C-alpha cells in the first residue's frame, strides 16, 4: 500500500488487493471447507503472510499502521467471499489488541513483529462455560509460584482456538473487579490443551473452540499490563476491536447476500422475463440495498471516528447492533426471494445465511448493545475506552 497516496486511494487499493486475494485463494477452497466442517489451516496461514493481521500494529514493529477503517475493509472483503476467513482474520486482530494497548515493551518487541510477518496468530480467551458473557463470573485462576504463574481452568468460544499460537487468557487472581489479570500463554506450554473441534452451524473452516489450562505454568513476565488489569484488557479489546471487527464480518456477509440475490433475480425467469422485472421483487431488493447502505455508513463512520482519536464507544456499539440486525433482516428477505432455491447447498445463499447467525453473540448480543446504548442516553455510562486508550489519529 502506497503510504504517500491519498487516504481514499490507499483504502481503495487495499480493498482491491484483498478482494483479488480472496477470489483467487479463498473462493476455490470454500467447497472443501463446507464439506469437511473442519478447521482450515492453509488459508489462515496465507492470509497471515499478507501482513493484514497487523493492520493496526505500528510500523516500528513491522505492522501496517493503517488504522481501523483499513482493518474494516480487510475483514469486510474477506467476509464477502468467506465469512469463516473473515472471522479468522478478525479474531487474530482482536488477539493482537491486548498486546498493542497493554503489552510491555518487551512483549511488543517479541510478539508484534511475529504477528506482522504472519508467524504468530494471537487469540483472546475470556468466555467460560459457567459464566458466558458475565466476565466477573469467571472461575479460572492463576496462582503466583515464585517466578511463575500456574493457570487452571477452561475457556470456550475462543476464536482461532485450534490454529492460534499465542493465547491472551484472562483469569482470576483475586476477588472482585480488580481480581482479574491477563496473561500470554503459548500454545505449546505444558498443561495447555485443546478440546476436539466441534463443527457448528456455520463458519465452516473457522475454529472457535475450547482450551483447557491444567496447572499450566508460564513465566511471570507473561503477565499483560499490571496485576488486576484483566477486566480492562477484556472490555477494551471487546469495545475497540471486537465490536467493529464483528461489524465488518456482518457487513461483508451482507454484501455477499446482496450480490447473490441480484444475480439470482437477474438470471431466474418467471412470467416471460427475469424476476428483477417484477415490482414486488424490486421492492424487496430495494429494501435490501437501503439496509446495506445504511449499515455500511454506520460502520465506516464509527471506525473513522476511532481513527481520528475521537471518543466513540456508543458509535462502535451501535455499528455492531445495526449491522447484525441488518444482515439478519436481509438474509430473511433473500430467502423469501429465493424461496426453495435458497435452501439448496449448491447455491451460496444457504451458507451465507448460516454464517450470518454466527455474528449475533460475539462481542455482545443485540440486547447487550442496547443496554449499553441506554446507559449512554441516560448518562449512566462509566466512561469510554476509546477515550481512555485514544490512538494517534491516522493520516
Amino acid at each position: 500500500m502506497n503510504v504517500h497516496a491519498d487516504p481514499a486511494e490507499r483504502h481503495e487499493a487495499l480493498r482491491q488487493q484483498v478482494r483479488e486475494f480472496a477470489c483467487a485463494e479463498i473462493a476455490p477452497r470454500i467447497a472443501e471447507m463446507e464439506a469437511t466442517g473442519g478447521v482450515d489451516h492453509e488459508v489462515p496461514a496465507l492470509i497471515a503472510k499478507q501482513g493484514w493481521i497487523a493492520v493496526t500494529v505500528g510500523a516500528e514493529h513491522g505492522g501496517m499502521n493503517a488504522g481501523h477503517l483499513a482493518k474494516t475493509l480487510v475483514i469486510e472483503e474477506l467476509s464477502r467471499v468467506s465469512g469463516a476467513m473473515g472471522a479468522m482474520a478478525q479474531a487474530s486482530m482482536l488477539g493482537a489488541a491486548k498486546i498493542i494497548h497493554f503489552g510491555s515493551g518487551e512483549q511488543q518487541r517479541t510478539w508484534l513483529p511475529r504477528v506482522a510477518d504472519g508467524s504468530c496468530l494471537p487469540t483472546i480467551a475470556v468466555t467460560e462455560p459457567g459464566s458466558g458473557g458475565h466476565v466477573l463470573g469467571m472461575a479460572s485462576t492463576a496462582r503466583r509460584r515464585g517466578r511463575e504463574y500456574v493457570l487452571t481452568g477452561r475457556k470456550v468460544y475462543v476464536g482461532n482456538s485450534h490454529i492460534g499460537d499465542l493465547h491472551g487468557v484472562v483469569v482470576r487472581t483475586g476477588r472482585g473487579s480488580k481480581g482479574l489479570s491477563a496473561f500470554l500463554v503459548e500454545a505449546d506450554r505444558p498443561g495447555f490443551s485443546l478440546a476436539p473441534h466441534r463443527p457448528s452451524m456455520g463458519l465452516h473452516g473457522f475454529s472457535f473452540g475450547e482450551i483447557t489450562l491444567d496447572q499450566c505454568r508460564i513465566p511471570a513476565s507473561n503477565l499483560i499490563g499490571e496485576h488486576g488489569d484483566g477486566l480492562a484488557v477484556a472490555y477494551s479489546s471487546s469495545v475497540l476491536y471486537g465490536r467493529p471487527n464483528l461489524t465488518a464480518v456482518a457487513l461483508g456477509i451482507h454484501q455477499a447476500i446482496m450480490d447473490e440475490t441480484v444475480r439470482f433475480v437477474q438470471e431466474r425467469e418467471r412470467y416471460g422475463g427475469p424476476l428483477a422485472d417484477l415490482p414486488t421483487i424490486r421492492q424487496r431488493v430495494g429494501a435490501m440495498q437501503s439496509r446495506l447502505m445504511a449499515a455500511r455508513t454506520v460502520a465506516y463512520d464509527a471506525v473513522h471516528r476511532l481513527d481520528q482519536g475521537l471518543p466513540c464507544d456508543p458509535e462502535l456499539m451501535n455499528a455492531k447492533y445495526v449491522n447484525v440486525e441488518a444482515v439478519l433482516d436481509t438474509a430473511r428477505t433473500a430467502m423469501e426471494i429465493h424461496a426453495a432455491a435458497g435452501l439448496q447447498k449448491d447455491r451460496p445463499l444457504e451458507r451465507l445465511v448460516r454464517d450470518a447467525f454466527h455474528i449475533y453473540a460475539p462481542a455482545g448480543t443485540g440486547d447487550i448493545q442496547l443496554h449499553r446504548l441506554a446507559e449512554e442516553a441516560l448518562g449512566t455510562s462509566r466512561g469510554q475506552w476509546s477515550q481512555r486508550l485514544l490512538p494517534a489519529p491516522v493520516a
Side-chain angles (χ1 to χ4, degrees):
M1 191 166 64
N2 183 2
V3 296
H4 301 294
D6 177 79
E9 294 178 359
R10 293 202 305 267
H11 287 145
E12 187 55 36
L14 177 62
R15 182 193 293 279
Q16 191 61 35
Q17 180 188 10
V18 179
R19 182 175 297 178
E20 291 174 358
F21 171 91
C23 291
E25 301 294 343
I26 302 178
R29 294 174 164 89
I30 289 178
E32 182 179 356
M33 287 190 281
E34 288 297 310
T36 65
V39 179
D40 190 279
H41 292 265
E42 293 183 4
V43 179
L46 289 174
I47 292 173
K49 289 184 182 301
Q50 308 307 307
W52 296 326
I53 304 299
V55 64
T56 60
V57 172
E60 69 274 16
H61 298 301
M64 292 174 62
N65 195 37
H68 290 266
L69 179 52
K71 172 167 62 67
T72 295
L73 299 179
V74 171
I75 299 169
E76 178 188 352
E77 289 300 325
L78 292 173
S79 301
R80 186 175 181 177
V81 172
S82 168
M85 291 303 104
M88 185 289 301
Q90 73 80 25
S92 277
M93 293 171 180
L94 170 61
K98 63 190 178 297
I99 305 174
I100 294 172
H101 291 296
F102 290 91
S104 67
E106 181 61 28
Q107 289 170 345
Q108 292 181 353
R109 288 188 295 271
T110 298
W111 294 109
L112 293 182
R114 300 185 193 182
V115 174
D117 68 19
S119 62
C120 173
L121 286 174
T123 80
I124 189 165
V126 178
T127 307
E128 296 189 0
S131 56
H134 177 41
V135 176
L136 289 176
M138 69 174 59
S140 297
T141 61
R143 297 286 181 259
R144 184 71 182 256
R145 296 290 184 269
R147 297 182 178 180
E148 294 182 321
Y149 279 94
V150 181
L151 277 60
T152 301
R154 295 164 58 203
K155 296 291 181 180
V156 295
Y157 307 131
V158 179
N160 289 341
S161 53
H162 286 65
I163 63 172
D165 304 292
L166 182 70
H167 301 274
V169 180
V170 179
V171 294
R172 186 159 290 288
T173 51
R175 295 183 178 181
S177 61
K178 293 295 184 180
L180 301 180
S181 299
F183 299 89
L184 296 173
V185 181
E186 298 90 337
D188 58 359
R189 286 276 172 189
F192 175 93
S193 62
L194 291 164
H197 171 68
R198 298 171 59 190
S200 61
M201 180 177 76
L203 297 184
H204 295 165
F206 174 60
S207 64
F208 55 110
E210 178 179 333
I211 66 175
T212 298
L213 303 165
D214 183 8
Q215 300 292 306
C216 181
R217 293 179 175 271
I218 59 172
S221 59
N222 281 25
L223 174 70
I224 306 173
E226 302 295 330
H227 199 272
D229 278 348
L231 192 63
V233 171
Y235 279 179
S236 65
S237 297
S238 177
V239 173
L240 301 183
Y241 278 75
R243 284 168 178 150
N245 285 11
L246 273 297
T247 295
V249 177
L251 184 56
I253 295 173
H254 199 160
Q255 182 65 64
I257 292 173
M258 190 72 204
D259 295 342
E260 176 60 19
T261 302
V262 167
R263 183 162 44 249
F264 180 78
V265 300
Q266 289 176 336
E267 294 175 353
R268 184 63 59 97
E269 292 194 359
R270 287 292 185 274
Y271 313 112
L275 279 176
D277 287 348
L278 300 178
T280 55
I281 296 298
R282 283 179 173 263
Q283 287 292 310
R284 292 185 177 186
V285 171
M288 292 168 63
Q289 179 69 3
S290 175
R291 280 195 293 266
L292 176 60
M293 292 172 67
R296 177 171 282 115
T297 298
V298 170
Y300 287 7
D301 175 70
V303 290
H304 174 70
R305 289 172 181 268
L306 188 56
D307 278 340
Q308 296 306 304
L310 300 173
C312 58
D313 285 30
E315 285 81 3
L316 295 171
M317 297 171 194
N318 187 52
K320 207 265 182 176
Y321 175 77
V322 167
N323 271 266
V324 171
E325 294 299 318
V327 71
L328 293 178
D329 286 344
T330 284
R332 175 173 178 171
T333 304
M335 290 295 290
E336 291 170 348
I337 292 172
H338 281 72
L343 304 174
Q344 302 301 308
K345 289 184 175 292
D346 61 347
R347 301 199 68 93
L349 184 62
E350 187 268 346
R351 166 176 60 88
L352 295 170
V353 171
R354 286 188 286 105
D355 288 352
F357 276 91
H358 276 259
I359 314 305
Y360 181 75
T365 64
D367 285 344
I368 289 177
Q369 310 306 333
L370 292 178
H371 180 75
R372 297 304 180 198
L373 288 169
E375 289 180 337
E376 182 67 22
L378 296 169
T380 58
S381 64
R382 303 175 188 176
Q384 299 191 37
W385 286 107
S386 51
Q387 192 166 25
R388 299 179 203 178
L389 300 174
L390 282 175
V394 175

